[in-house]
Amino acid sequence: MSYGRPPGVESFSGKPPALGSFPLDHEGECKDFMKEYIKCLRANKNNNGACREFSRAYLQCRMDNGLMAQDDMKNLGYQDASKQPASGEPKT
Amino acid sequence: MFRLIHTARTLRTASQPLARASSTPLTTVWKTPTRPLPIYPRRGFASKSHSESNASSGMYALAIFVSMLGVSYAAVPLYRIFCASTGYSGTPVTDSSRFAAERLVPDAESRRIRITFESNTSDALQWSFKPELREVRVVPGETALTFYRAKNNAKEDIVGIATYNVTPYRAGQYFNKIQCFCFEEQMLRAGEEVDMPVFFFIDPDFNEDPYMKEVNTITLSYTLFNAKYAKNVVPGQRP
């Protein structure tokens, strides 16, 4: 990709996402969860730390509706929110 | 091989004159020596015949040839492994240990970094593509979610594909995406509107990098293209 370019030229090389690509939510099944998350962020000055429950709920909705591979929430960075057990099987 | 060279020189003492040009070394007549000849220890290959030593040196040469051929075949996967682990010359680094669960712990003492979102569309694409959130503030290690809204304004189904980049350049190596919508074709039906999420986190090693001390804002920019050729391009080249 960068062959033929002079050395020392910085170029951005994209890294692939770990879990690939999200399937598109054509029917809008998780739109409410998204709206809740955005409302929380707007209320908290875009501070992500205050709204982790809502983003977790959105990802849970995606998993429940088959729009995301089932995964343990710990693998997605939600270790502290273990009060609600994830409904999916842990990732093998 | 060396034995062949050595045979050309006979063991000379003072009684024998220098090599006679007319006779070949192998047919030299051995005259009775007038003084005692030095006794050299017998060498192992002195007992082999010439054809055997030819064969053994031929085997050495063949072995070297075969091993060099093997090394050149082995170099292909080895180079690939080397590039993948070091990211040399722009190879994407696909090391999944970056996404291990213990790395996804928010760093409580760190400052919040502002991640801003930008979007671009190509002129050939009749989609409107805007970020839902202009910015999110995260700490390294904290996973975050953001959305882009895309609407197909055309009258037919269009397939779009997105690429992204991260500025500042050096911060891009710490921007890890767990799941997103880039580099894969996404089809939208005519008039459809959809929300596309990006799930990412900033690598915890961000705090250890001295170059990142002054970095407080990271910008993620997506560019959306049309995945199929435009209709009025040269007709013979449709995919």
Side-chain angles (χ1 to χ4, degrees):
Chain A
M1 203 166 81
S2 66
Y3 293 124
R5 235 180 279 177
V9 170
E10 289 184 338
S11 71
F12 181 77
S13 52
K15 294 179 290 203
L19 300 181
S21 184
F22 274 120
L24 286 187
D25 185 9
H26 290 283
E27 281 91 43
E29 284 150 357
C30 297
K31 207 168 163 114
D32 299 328
F33 292 90
M34 182 200 79
K35 286 201 189 324
E36 288 293 312
Y37 174 64
I38 290 179
K39 221 165 32 165
C40 166
L41 274 185
R42 295 220 166 103
N44 283 302
K45 295 197 303 191
N46 293 323
N47 183 350
N48 183 49
C51 299
R52 304 211 73 213
E53 286 300 321
F54 294 96
S55 58
R56 190 166 177 279
Y58 176 81
L59 294 175
Q60 192 63 53
C61 164
R62 276 220 161 219
M63 285 184 201
D64 294 339
N65 288 315
L67 292 167
M68 187 174 168
Q70 298 281 358
D71 199 357
D72 200 1
M73 279 301 172
K74 286 196 185 27
N75 293 334
L76 300 175
Y78 293 102
Q79 286 93 351
D80 47 352
S82 51
K83 332 183 245 296
Q84 302 172 20
S87 59
E89 302 92 42
K91 188 173 182 175
T92 49
Chain B
M1 201 168 11
F2 304 102
R3 174 107 167 69
L4 294 173
I5 297 168
H6 193 76
T7 330
R9 294 173 224 198
T10 57
L11 215 53
R12 285 199 292 274
T13 61
S15 65
Q16 294 176 336
L18 285 170
R20 285 156 280 204
S22 54
S23 65
T24 63
L26 290 176
T27 57
T28 305
V29 174
W30 181 254
K31 290 197 181 145
T32 310
T34 52
R35 53 190 244 184
L37 293 171
I39 298 177
Y40 288 89
R42 280 180 80 81
R43 279 170 290 212
F45 60 76
S47 56
K48 278 193 199 160
S49 70
H50 299 304
S51 65
E52 275 184 18
S53 63
N54 271 343
S56 71
S57 46
M59 281 297 153
Y60 280 126
L62 186 66
I64 290 173
F65 173 74
V66 168
S67 65
M68 293 309 276
L69 201 65
V71 165
S72 63
Y73 272 104
V76 173
L78 285 177
Y79 186 70
R80 202 175 291 148
I81 292 169
F82 165 73
C83 280
S85 62
T86 59
Y88 179 70
S89 183
T91 314
V93 178
T94 50
D95 182 15
S96 60
S97 65
R98 281 186 294 131
F99 297 91
E102 51 269 4
R103 295 186 60 113
L104 299 178
V105 178
D107 187 357
E109 289 95 38
S110 168
R111 65 184 190 281
R112 289 225 163 240
I113 298 159
R114 206 163 70 107
I115 319 281
T116 54
F117 303 104
E118 309 270 329
S119 65
N120 294 299
T121 44
S122 94
D123 294 333
L125 185 64
Q126 285 174 286
W127 284 17
S128 75
F129 179 62
K130 289 272 177 302
E132 286 262 15
L133 294 161
R134 277 291 158 188
E135 64 171 40
V136 170
R137 294 192 298 125
V138 297
V139 288
E142 193 176 62
T143 51
L145 192 59
T146 183
F147 294 92
Y148 279 80
R149 175 166 297 182
K151 183 173 162 65
N152 185 355
N153 294 320
K155 300 218 173 23
E156 65 266 350
D157 303 347
I158 294 182
V159 181
I161 189 165
T163 63
Y164 77 100
N165 66 37
V166 178
T167 45
Y169 172 74
R170 278 179 196 274
Q173 58 183 317
Y174 297 107
F175 191 89
N176 297 327
K177 291 192 276 103
I178 299 174
Q179 206 164 357
C180 67
F181 57 90
C182 43
F183 303 125
E184 276 195 24
E185 298 186 354
Q186 315 282 354
M187 193 191 77
L188 278 189
R189 297 188 284 270
E192 190 181 359
E193 186 174 14
V194 82
D195 297 299
M196 306 202 275
V198 179
F199 191 44
F200 66 92
F201 69 101
I202 306 289
D203 202 291
D205 292 341
F206 182 88
N207 286 327
E208 272 112 52
D209 192 343
Y211 287 110
M212 297 293 121
K213 257 202 188 8
E214 305 299 325
V215 171
N216 290 317
T217 305
I218 296 177
T219 303
L220 172 69
S221 165
Y222 271 94
T223 309
L224 204 55
F225 298 98
N226 200 334
K228 295 241 172 71
Y229 290 116
K231 288 203 172 70
N232 43 6
V233 171
V234 176
Q237 291 174 0
R238 291 294 292 266

